[in-house]
Amino acid sequence: GAGVSQSPRYKVAKRGQDVALRCDPISGHVSLFWYQQALGQGPEFLTYFQNEAQLDKSGLPSDRFFAERPEGSVSTLKIQRTQQEDSAVYLCASSSYSELINTEAFFGQGTRLTVV
Amino acid sequence: ILNVEQSPQSLHVQEGDSTNFTCSFPSSNFYALHWYRWETAKSPEALFVMTLNGDEKKKGRISATLNTKEGYSYLYIKGSQPEDSATYLCAFRGRTGGFKTIFGAGTRLFVKA
């Protein structure tokens, strides 16, 4: 596709429900990042993939959060037993290089998750 | 804990005004600083990647400077237009800390016609 695509755009989940958020990066992009953005704050790093390898998951807030990218392209962020504090916009970004130094990342439009 | 601060939080200007805002970051351990522009209902769009002290980058009416020794970057917009209305985010990456990029909370710019 032309850009990074995330689905769904909006998700309302009941507390305790499991959710899965999908990210389709730009074809051929090596790097993939997930971020969580709470209202009024900047995006916060969750995890980083280089191809299918999850090289950094230090930002995942709890063991209820799990991300995968099994074939090095599409990625899924799964949240188990959702809580109200999980309500946020979840952003995905991809980059064509393995090191995000001098290169820009391309972001999706995000998935807005509301836990009720 | 690494802190990236942006100021002001929001800014209201008239069309034609020039404006600037600040991103402050830890001066030690610097690796790269990114600026993004995020319009409502769209994806964040990369503006600049800055890596060297004294870097100055320009894209049309928007420019940015970087001072890694004192830990700040300025973003300037010359002759603001209503289409410049957006949130401007900076993101810091340190030499340590893995692949984590730390974002500021953004400066929300409103340009009135």
Side-chain angles (χ1 to χ4, degrees), chain B residues 28-77:
Chain B
S28 60
N29 193 37
F30 177 84
Y31 198 36
L33 188 87
H34 298 249
W35 279 100
Y36 293 91
R37 166 199 158 92
W38 194 358
E39 288 180 74
T40 303
K42 294 188 177 178
S43 310
E45 172 199 352
L47 290 173
F48 305 114
V49 180
M50 309 183 82
T51 56
L52 298 174
N53 186 41
D55 251 357
E56 289 190 31
K57 298 271 175 105
K58 189 172 179 183
K59 196 176 199 175
R61 294 179 291 99
I62 304 176
S63 60
T65 61
L66 179 69
N67 183 323
T68 60
K69 294 188 178 185
E70 295 182 40
Y72 64 84
S73 176
Y74 292 139
L75 189 81
Y76 301 90
I77 303 178

Side-chain angles (χ1 to χ4, degrees), chain A residues 9 33 35 37 40-43 45 48 50 55-56 58-59 89 91 98-109, chain B residues 9 31-32 34 36 38 41-47 49-51 59 89 93 97-106:
Chain A
R9 288 289 314 280
F33 296 78
Y35 296 90
Q37 187 188 24
Q41 298 180 24
F45 170 85
Y48 167 70
Q50 186 175 313
L55 298 188
D56 190 337
S58 61
V89 174
L91 289 164
S98 59
E99 279 291 316
L100 197 70
I101 311 169
N102 294 330
T103 58
E104 59 188 73
F106 294 84
F107 279 81
Q109 289 186 283
Chain B
Q9 196 171 16
Y31 198 36
H34 298 249
Y36 293 91
W38 194 358
K42 294 188 177 178
S43 310
E45 172 199 352
L47 290 173
V49 180
M50 309 183 82
T51 56
K59 196 176 199 175
L89 291 164
R93 184 157 170 215
F99 295 88
K100 184 176 287 191
T101 304
I102 300 169
F103 279 80

